[in-house]
Amino acid sequence: SSGINAEWPLRPGFAVGSDKTLKEISDSQIQREVPAADTVLTQCAISRSGRMLFVGTAQGSIRAMKFPLTVPGEWTEHQCHASSITKMRISYDDGFLFTVGEDACLYTFKIMDKEGRGLKAKDITYAEEILISKSDLQEKDTAMKELKTRVYELNMENEYQLRLKDMNHHEKTKELTEKFIQEMESLKTKNQVLKTDKDKEEAKHEEERQELIEKQHQELQDLESANNQKLMAEYEKYQELQAKSQRMQEEYERQLAAKSESHKQALREQTEQYETKLHEKIGQLEAAHDEQRQTMRIHEETKKQIEEDADREILDIKNMYERRLREEKEGNMRLTGETGIMKKKFKSQEQEIEALKSDINNLNTEKSKLNGVIKSLEKDILGLKKEIQERDETIQDKEKRIYDLKKKNQELEKFKFVLDYKIRELKKQIEPREN
C-alpha cells in the first residue's frame, strides 16, 4: 500500500509506502526520509495552508506530524480505526479531517494548527451550482415507486415459485417415505426368512454333531472291548505258559532227584531261587497290567466326563478331542507292541528253559559240565535282573505318563471352565440381539 499527497504543484509532495518511511519530495527529488518506527504508513494528507501534516498507519492510528519534518520525526498518535486506514482527506477550509479504514468506518476529526488558526474566510469560495433540480427529483421518485412495485411483483412471483417447490418437495418426500416403508417391510420379511433358515441349519448341525458323537463313542467302546479281549487272550496264553513252565520245573526236579544228594541240593537251591524270581517277575507283570488297566479306565472315565461337560458346539474342541483319541489309539498300539515284545521275551525264556533241559540231560551224562550249567544259569539270572530293571524303568515311564495325563486332565478342566464362561457370555450377548 502507498499514499501520495501532491495536490499543490508549488509545494513539496509527501509519499508513504511499505518501506515504513515518510518521504518529502521536491523538484522530483527526495529531500527527507523520516522513519516510522517499524510501522507501515498507508496514507498521508497535508492541509491547504501547508501547516499541518497527517499520516495513517496499517494499525488504524493517525499521526499528527511536526511540520516542517525533522529527522528523526516527531508526531502525536491517535488510535481510531480497528484496521488499516485506506483514505485520508482534509476539508477545503482545513477545519476537518476525514478518514476511512478497512473496518468500514468513517471518522471525522476537527483540526487546527498549534496556534489555533485556520483558513481565512476570504480564501474560501463557494460554488453557485444547484446540485439537482426539482423535476429530476420527481422523476427519481417516480422511478423509485416503479421499482418498488416491480420489487413487490417479483416477491410475489418468488413466493409462488417457492410454494410450488415446497409442494413438489412434499410429494417427493411422501414418495420416498412410502418407498422406505416398503423396503423396511421387505427387509423384515427377508430377515425372518434368514432367521428361519438359520434355525434349520442349527438344528441340522446339532443332529449331525450328535450322530458324530455317538459314532465316536461307539468306536471307543469297540476299541476298548477289542483291547480287553486281546489282553485277556494274552493273559490266558501267559497262564498256559506258566503252567507249562511249572510242569517243566517239576520234571526237572524229578530228574534232579536221581542225582547225588549234594548236586541235588545245589540244583534245588538254584531252582528255588529262579522260581522265586520268576514269581516276583510275574507279580510285577500282573501289577503292571493292573496299573495299566486302572490307568486306561481312569483315562476313559476322564475323557467321557470331559466329552459330556465340554461345549459340543465348538468345532475346535471337537478336533482337539479327536486328536487326543488318535493319540490314545497310538498309545494302545504301543501297548499292544509291548505285549508282543513280552511274548517274544517269554518265548526266549521258554527256549532258555529247553536249553536248561538239554543241559540237565547233559549233566546226567557229564557231571563235569554241571558247573558250566550253573554259570549259564547265573548269566540268565543277570539277564533277568536286567529285564526287571528295564521293566521297572518302563513302569516309571508309565507312571510319569499317568502323571502327565492327570496334569493334562486338570488343564482340560480349566479350559472347560473358561469355555463355559465364554459360552455364557456369548449367550448373554446373543439373547438381547434376538430379543
Side-chain angles (χ1 to χ4, degrees), residues 174-198:
K174 186 176 179 181
E175 291 176 359
L176 290 173
T177 304
E178 292 177 354
K179 184 178 179 181
F180 177 72
I181 292 171
Q182 292 176 358
E183 290 179 354
M184 284 183 63
E185 293 295 331
S186 63
L187 288 173
K188 286 182 180 179
T189 305
K190 289 180 181 179
N191 189 17
Q192 188 66 30
V193 172
L194 291 173
K195 188 175 181 182
T196 304
D197 294 338
K198 174 178 170 292

PDB file of all heavy atoms in Angstrom, residues 174-198:
ATOM      1  N   LYS A 174     -43.012 -37.620   0.395  1.00  0.00           N
ATOM      2  CA  LYS A 174     -44.022 -38.640   0.653  1.00  0.00           C
ATOM      3  C   LYS A 174     -43.711 -39.925  -0.108  1.00  0.00           C
ATOM      4  O   LYS A 174     -43.807 -41.039   0.434  1.00  0.00           O
ATOM      5  CB  LYS A 174     -45.385 -38.092   0.253  1.00  0.00           C
ATOM      6  CG  LYS A 174     -46.544 -39.012   0.623  1.00  0.00           C
ATOM      7  CD  LYS A 174     -47.865 -38.359   0.283  1.00  0.00           C
ATOM      8  CE  LYS A 174     -49.036 -39.281   0.638  1.00  0.00           C
ATOM      9  NZ  LYS A 174     -50.336 -38.653   0.292  1.00  0.00           N
ATOM     10  N   GLU A 175     -43.318 -39.782  -1.397  1.00  0.00           N
ATOM     11  CA  GLU A 175     -42.973 -40.966  -2.186  1.00  0.00           C
ATOM     12  C   GLU A 175     -41.776 -41.706  -1.589  1.00  0.00           C
ATOM     13  O   GLU A 175     -41.771 -42.937  -1.472  1.00  0.00           O
ATOM     14  CB  GLU A 175     -42.652 -40.532  -3.625  1.00  0.00           C
ATOM     15  CG  GLU A 175     -43.865 -40.039  -4.383  1.00  0.00           C
ATOM     16  CD  GLU A 175     -43.493 -39.531  -5.769  1.00  0.00           C
ATOM     17  OE1 GLU A 175     -42.270 -39.566  -6.074  1.00  0.00           O
ATOM     18  OE2 GLU A 175     -44.389 -39.124  -6.529  1.00  0.00           O
ATOM     19  N   LEU A 176     -40.753 -40.937  -1.205  1.00  0.00           N
ATOM     20  CA  LEU A 176     -39.577 -41.580  -0.605  1.00  0.00           C
ATOM     21  C   LEU A 176     -39.920 -42.284   0.700  1.00  0.00           C
ATOM     22  O   LEU A 176     -39.396 -43.360   1.011  1.00  0.00           O
ATOM     23  CB  LEU A 176     -38.485 -40.533  -0.354  1.00  0.00           C
ATOM     24  CG  LEU A 176     -37.807 -39.954  -1.603  1.00  0.00           C
ATOM     25  CD1 LEU A 176     -36.883 -38.814  -1.219  1.00  0.00           C
ATOM     26  CD2 LEU A 176     -37.024 -41.036  -2.327  1.00  0.00           C
ATOM     27  N   THR A 177     -40.828 -41.650   1.492  1.00  0.00           N
ATOM     28  CA  THR A 177     -41.235 -42.279   2.773  1.00  0.00           C
ATOM     29  C   THR A 177     -41.953 -43.598   2.512  1.00  0.00           C
ATOM     30  O   THR A 177     -41.689 -44.619   3.171  1.00  0.00           O
ATOM     31  CB  THR A 177     -42.131 -41.322   3.549  1.00  0.00           C
ATOM     32  OG1 THR A 177     -41.442 -40.083   3.744  1.00  0.00           O
ATOM     33  CG2 THR A 177     -42.487 -41.909   4.912  1.00  0.00           C
ATOM     34  N   GLU A 178     -42.888 -43.590   1.532  1.00  0.00           N
ATOM     35  CA  GLU A 178     -43.592 -44.838   1.218  1.00  0.00           C
ATOM     36  C   GLU A 178     -42.630 -45.902   0.704  1.00  0.00           C
ATOM     37  O   GLU A 178     -42.718 -47.072   1.086  1.00  0.00           O
ATOM     38  CB  GLU A 178     -44.665 -44.540   0.174  1.00  0.00           C
ATOM     39  CG  GLU A 178     -45.816 -43.671   0.700  1.00  0.00           C
ATOM     40  CD  GLU A 178     -46.813 -43.333  -0.386  1.00  0.00           C
ATOM     41  OE1 GLU A 178     -46.531 -43.688  -1.565  1.00  0.00           O
ATOM     42  OE2 GLU A 178     -47.867 -42.722  -0.068  1.00  0.00           O
ATOM     43  N   LYS A 179     -41.694 -45.472  -0.149  1.00  0.00           N
ATOM     44  CA  LYS A 179     -40.711 -46.429  -0.669  1.00  0.00           C
ATOM     45  C   LYS A 179     -39.855 -46.995   0.458  1.00  0.00           C
ATOM     46  O   LYS A 179     -39.572 -48.200   0.509  1.00  0.00           O
ATOM     47  CB  LYS A 179     -39.835 -45.738  -1.701  1.00  0.00           C
ATOM     48  CG  LYS A 179     -38.840 -46.661  -2.373  1.00  0.00           C
ATOM     49  CD  LYS A 179     -38.044 -45.897  -3.420  1.00  0.00           C
ATOM     50  CE  LYS A 179     -37.022 -46.811  -4.098  1.00  0.00           C
ATOM     51  NZ  LYS A 179     -36.209 -46.082  -5.105  1.00  0.00           N
ATOM     52  N   PHE A 180     -39.463 -46.131   1.384  1.00  0.00           N
ATOM     53  CA  PHE A 180     -38.651 -46.581   2.518  1.00  0.00           C
ATOM     54  C   PHE A 180     -39.411 -47.570   3.392  1.00  0.00           C
ATOM     55  O   PHE A 180     -38.866 -48.576   3.855  1.00  0.00           O
ATOM     56  CB  PHE A 180     -38.218 -45.365   3.331  1.00  0.00           C
ATOM     57  CG  PHE A 180     -37.432 -45.699   4.558  1.00  0.00           C
ATOM     58  CD1 PHE A 180     -36.124 -46.170   4.458  1.00  0.00           C
ATOM     59  CD2 PHE A 180     -37.994 -45.566   5.811  1.00  0.00           C
ATOM     60  CE1 PHE A 180     -35.408 -46.475   5.589  1.00  0.00           C
ATOM     61  CE2 PHE A 180     -37.281 -45.878   6.942  1.00  0.00           C
ATOM     62  CZ  PHE A 180     -35.984 -46.333   6.826  1.00  0.00           C
ATOM     63  N   ILE A 181     -40.722 -47.298   3.611  1.00  0.00           N
ATOM     64  CA  ILE A 181     -41.537 -48.219   4.426  1.00  0.00           C
ATOM     65  C   ILE A 181     -41.642 -49.573   3.743  1.00  0.00           C
ATOM     66  O   ILE A 181     -41.530 -50.642   4.379  1.00  0.00           O
ATOM     67  CB  ILE A 181     -42.920 -47.592   4.678  1.00  0.00           C
ATOM     68  CG1 ILE A 181     -42.778 -46.368   5.598  1.00  0.00           C
ATOM     69  CG2 ILE A 181     -43.863 -48.617   5.301  1.00  0.00           C
ATOM     70  CD1 ILE A 181     -44.047 -45.564   5.735  1.00  0.00           C
ATOM     71  N   GLN A 182     -41.849 -49.554   2.398  1.00  0.00           N
ATOM     72  CA  GLN A 182     -41.928 -50.830   1.675  1.00  0.00           C
ATOM     73  C   GLN A 182     -40.620 -51.607   1.766  1.00  0.00           C
ATOM     74  O   GLN A 182     -40.612 -52.822   1.980  1.00  0.00           O
ATOM     75  CB  GLN A 182     -42.277 -50.556   0.208  1.00  0.00           C
ATOM     76  CG  GLN A 182     -43.685 -50.024   0.010  1.00  0.00           C
ATOM     77  CD  GLN A 182     -43.967 -49.678  -1.447  1.00  0.00           C
ATOM     78  OE1 GLN A 182     -43.061 -49.817  -2.291  1.00  0.00           O
ATOM     79  NE2 GLN A 182     -45.186 -49.230  -1.735  1.00  0.00           N
ATOM     80  N   GLU A 183     -39.504 -50.886   1.600  1.00  0.00           N
ATOM     81  CA  GLU A 183     -38.206 -51.562   1.723  1.00  0.00           C
ATOM     82  C   GLU A 183     -37.998 -52.132   3.118  1.00  0.00           C
ATOM     83  O   GLU A 183     -37.441 -53.219   3.286  1.00  0.00           O
ATOM     84  CB  GLU A 183     -37.086 -50.582   1.377  1.00  0.00           C
ATOM     85  CG  GLU A 183     -37.029 -50.211  -0.089  1.00  0.00           C
ATOM     86  CD  GLU A 183     -35.931 -49.218  -0.386  1.00  0.00           C
ATOM     87  OE1 GLU A 183     -35.296 -48.750   0.592  1.00  0.00           O
ATOM     88  OE2 GLU A 183     -35.694 -48.908  -1.571  1.00  0.00           O
ATOM     89  N   MET A 184     -38.448 -51.384   4.144  1.00  0.00           N
ATOM     90  CA  MET A 184     -38.333 -51.903   5.511  1.00  0.00           C
ATOM     91  C   MET A 184     -39.144 -53.176   5.685  1.00  0.00           C
ATOM     92  O   MET A 184     -38.686 -54.142   6.316  1.00  0.00           O
ATOM     93  CB  MET A 184     -38.790 -50.840   6.509  1.00  0.00           C
ATOM     94  CG  MET A 184     -37.787 -49.705   6.737  1.00  0.00           C
ATOM     95  SD  MET A 184     -38.330 -48.551   7.980  1.00  0.00           S
ATOM     96  CE  MET A 184     -38.394 -49.614   9.407  1.00  0.00           C
ATOM     97  N   GLU A 185     -40.363 -53.190   5.129  1.00  0.00           N
ATOM     98  CA  GLU A 185     -41.181 -54.402   5.244  1.00  0.00           C
ATOM     99  C   GLU A 185     -40.525 -55.576   4.539  1.00  0.00           C
ATOM    100  O   GLU A 185     -40.476 -56.701   5.063  1.00  0.00           O
ATOM    101  CB  GLU A 185     -42.567 -54.129   4.641  1.00  0.00           C
ATOM    102  CG  GLU A 185     -43.400 -53.132   5.421  1.00  0.00           C
ATOM    103  CD  GLU A 185     -43.756 -53.647   6.816  1.00  0.00           C
ATOM    104  OE1 GLU A 185     -43.849 -54.882   6.970  1.00  0.00           O
ATOM    105  OE2 GLU A 185     -43.938 -52.827   7.730  1.00  0.00           O
ATOM    106  N   SER A 186     -39.975 -55.313   3.326  1.00  0.00           N
ATOM    107  CA  SER A 186     -39.306 -56.408   2.608  1.00  0.00           C
ATOM    108  C   SER A 186     -38.081 -56.909   3.363  1.00  0.00           C
ATOM    109  O   SER A 186     -37.813 -58.110   3.438  1.00  0.00           O
ATOM    110  CB  SER A 186     -38.906 -55.926   1.213  1.00  0.00           C
ATOM    111  OG  SER A 186     -37.959 -54.869   1.322  1.00  0.00           O
ATOM    112  N   LEU A 187     -37.326 -55.964   3.965  1.00  0.00           N
ATOM    113  CA  LEU A 187     -36.149 -56.373   4.739  1.00  0.00           C
ATOM    114  C   LEU A 187     -36.549 -57.175   5.967  1.00  0.00           C
ATOM    115  O   LEU A 187     -35.864 -58.128   6.354  1.00  0.00           O
ATOM    116  CB  LEU A 187     -35.343 -55.140   5.148  1.00  0.00           C
ATOM    117  CG  LEU A 187     -34.578 -54.429   4.016  1.00  0.00           C
ATOM    118  CD1 LEU A 187     -33.967 -53.137   4.525  1.00  0.00           C
ATOM    119  CD2 LEU A 187     -33.495 -55.341   3.469  1.00  0.00           C
ATOM    120  N   LYS A 188     -37.661 -56.766   6.613  1.00  0.00           N
ATOM    121  CA  LYS A 188     -38.133 -57.551   7.764  1.00  0.00           C
ATOM    122  C   LYS A 188     -38.491 -58.969   7.338  1.00  0.00           C
ATOM    123  O   LYS A 188     -38.190 -59.946   8.039  1.00  0.00           O
ATOM    124  CB  LYS A 188     -39.339 -56.855   8.382  1.00  0.00           C
ATOM    125  CG  LYS A 188     -38.994 -55.602   9.172  1.00  0.00           C
ATOM    126  CD  LYS A 188     -40.236 -54.986   9.791  1.00  0.00           C
ATOM    127  CE  LYS A 188     -39.893 -53.725  10.584  1.00  0.00           C
ATOM    128  NZ  LYS A 188     -41.110 -53.106  11.177  1.00  0.00           N
ATOM    129  N   THR A 189     -39.178 -59.072   6.159  1.00  0.00           N
ATOM    130  CA  THR A 189     -39.544 -60.415   5.668  1.00  0.00           C
ATOM    131  C   THR A 189     -38.294 -61.251   5.386  1.00  0.00           C
ATOM    132  O   THR A 189     -38.203 -62.419   5.776  1.00  0.00           O
ATOM    133  CB  THR A 189     -40.380 -60.270   4.394  1.00  0.00           C
ATOM    134  OG1 THR A 189     -41.504 -59.434   4.656  1.00  0.00           O
ATOM    135  CG2 THR A 189     -40.856 -61.632   3.928  1.00  0.00           C
ATOM    136  N   LYS A 190     -37.300 -60.630   4.707  1.00  0.00           N
ATOM    137  CA  LYS A 190     -36.051 -61.341   4.423  1.00  0.00           C
ATOM    138  C   LYS A 190     -35.350 -61.755   5.705  1.00  0.00           C
ATOM    139  O   LYS A 190     -34.807 -62.857   5.811  1.00  0.00           O
ATOM    140  CB  LYS A 190     -35.129 -60.459   3.589  1.00  0.00           C
ATOM    141  CG  LYS A 190     -35.595 -60.251   2.167  1.00  0.00           C
ATOM    142  CD  LYS A 190     -34.619 -59.365   1.394  1.00  0.00           C
ATOM    143  CE  LYS A 190     -35.081 -59.133  -0.025  1.00  0.00           C
ATOM    144  NZ  LYS A 190     -34.140 -58.254  -0.767  1.00  0.00           N
ATOM    145  N   ASN A 191     -35.369 -60.852   6.685  1.00  0.00           N
ATOM    146  CA  ASN A 191     -34.728 -61.175   7.975  1.00  0.00           C
ATOM    147  C   ASN A 191     -35.401 -62.361   8.647  1.00  0.00           C
ATOM    148  O   ASN A 191     -34.740 -63.238   9.207  1.00  0.00           O
ATOM    149  CB  ASN A 191     -34.781 -59.932   8.864  1.00  0.00           C
ATOM    150  CG  ASN A 191     -33.960 -60.105  10.124  1.00  0.00           C
ATOM    151  OD1 ASN A 191     -33.122 -61.000  10.191  1.00  0.00           O
ATOM    152  ND2 ASN A 191     -34.196 -59.286  11.109  1.00  0.00           N
ATOM    153  N   GLN A 192     -36.747 -62.393   8.572  1.00  0.00           N
ATOM    154  CA  GLN A 192     -37.464 -63.519   9.172  1.00  0.00           C
ATOM    155  C   GLN A 192     -37.124 -64.822   8.452  1.00  0.00           C
ATOM    156  O   GLN A 192     -36.920 -65.869   9.085  1.00  0.00           O
ATOM    157  CB  GLN A 192     -38.971 -63.239   9.098  1.00  0.00           C
ATOM    158  CG  GLN A 192     -39.819 -64.240   9.856  1.00  0.00           C
ATOM    159  CD  GLN A 192     -39.570 -64.173  11.348  1.00  0.00           C
ATOM    160  OE1 GLN A 192     -39.248 -63.125  11.873  1.00  0.00           O
ATOM    161  NE2 GLN A 192     -39.721 -65.290  12.031  1.00  0.00           N
ATOM    162  N   VAL A 193     -37.050 -64.748   7.096  1.00  0.00           N
ATOM    163  CA  VAL A 193     -36.709 -65.961   6.325  1.00  0.00           C
ATOM    164  C   VAL A 193     -35.300 -66.435   6.673  1.00  0.00           C
ATOM    165  O   VAL A 193     -35.053 -67.630   6.883  1.00  0.00           O
ATOM    166  CB  VAL A 193     -36.829 -65.665   4.819  1.00  0.00           C
ATOM    167  CG1 VAL A 193     -36.287 -66.839   4.001  1.00  0.00           C
ATOM    168  CG2 VAL A 193     -38.284 -65.398   4.454  1.00  0.00           C
ATOM    169  N   LEU A 194     -34.358 -65.483   6.755  1.00  0.00           N
ATOM    170  CA  LEU A 194     -32.977 -65.842   7.109  1.00  0.00           C
ATOM    171  C   LEU A 194     -32.905 -66.435   8.502  1.00  0.00           C
ATOM    172  O   LEU A 194     -32.135 -67.367   8.763  1.00  0.00           O
ATOM    173  CB  LEU A 194     -32.083 -64.613   7.007  1.00  0.00           C
ATOM    174  CG  LEU A 194     -31.832 -64.079   5.593  1.00  0.00           C
ATOM    175  CD1 LEU A 194     -31.069 -62.761   5.648  1.00  0.00           C
ATOM    176  CD2 LEU A 194     -31.057 -65.093   4.771  1.00  0.00           C
ATOM    177  N   LYS A 195     -33.694 -65.871   9.420  1.00  0.00           N
ATOM    178  CA  LYS A 195     -33.691 -66.415  10.789  1.00  0.00           C
ATOM    179  C   LYS A 195     -34.222 -67.841  10.803  1.00  0.00           C
ATOM    180  O   LYS A 195     -33.687 -68.718  11.500  1.00  0.00           O
ATOM    181  CB  LYS A 195     -34.544 -65.505  11.671  1.00  0.00           C
ATOM    182  CG  LYS A 195     -34.466 -65.865  13.147  1.00  0.00           C
ATOM    183  CD  LYS A 195     -35.237 -64.845  13.985  1.00  0.00           C
ATOM    184  CE  LYS A 195     -35.129 -65.215  15.465  1.00  0.00           C
ATOM    185  NZ  LYS A 195     -35.911 -64.267  16.302  1.00  0.00           N
ATOM    186  N   THR A 196     -35.285 -68.089   9.998  1.00  0.00           N
ATOM    187  CA  THR A 196     -35.826 -69.459   9.917  1.00  0.00           C
ATOM    188  C   THR A 196     -34.781 -70.414   9.340  1.00  0.00           C
ATOM    189  O   THR A 196     -34.571 -71.528   9.861  1.00  0.00           O
ATOM    190  CB  THR A 196     -37.079 -69.455   9.041  1.00  0.00           C
ATOM    191  OG1 THR A 196     -38.014 -68.512   9.564  1.00  0.00           O
ATOM    192  CG2 THR A 196     -37.708 -70.835   9.026  1.00  0.00           C
ATOM    193  N   ASP A 197     -34.098 -69.973   8.255  1.00  0.00           N
ATOM    194  CA  ASP A 197     -33.040 -70.807   7.669  1.00  0.00           C
ATOM    195  C   ASP A 197     -31.923 -71.057   8.675  1.00  0.00           C
ATOM    196  O   ASP A 197     -31.370 -72.164   8.747  1.00  0.00           O
ATOM    197  CB  ASP A 197     -32.470 -70.121   6.421  1.00  0.00           C
ATOM    198  CG  ASP A 197     -33.509 -70.028   5.315  1.00  0.00           C
ATOM    199  OD1 ASP A 197     -34.478 -70.827   5.342  1.00  0.00           O
ATOM    200  OD2 ASP A 197     -33.345 -69.152   4.440  1.00  0.00           O
ATOM    201  N   LYS A 198     -31.604 -70.031   9.439  1.00  0.00           N
ATOM    202  CA  LYS A 198     -30.550 -70.186  10.452  1.00  0.00           C
ATOM    203  C   LYS A 198     -30.944 -71.234  11.493  1.00  0.00           C
ATOM    204  O   LYS A 198     -30.142 -72.085  11.885  1.00  0.00           O
ATOM    205  CB  LYS A 198     -30.291 -68.841  11.121  1.00  0.00           C
ATOM    206  CG  LYS A 198     -29.320 -68.883  12.281  1.00  0.00           C
ATOM    207  CD  LYS A 198     -29.122 -67.479  12.832  1.00  0.00           C
ATOM    208  CE  LYS A 198     -28.352 -67.529  14.157  1.00  0.00           C
ATOM    209  NZ  LYS A 198     -29.112 -68.146  15.234  1.00  0.00           N
TER     210      LYS A 198
END
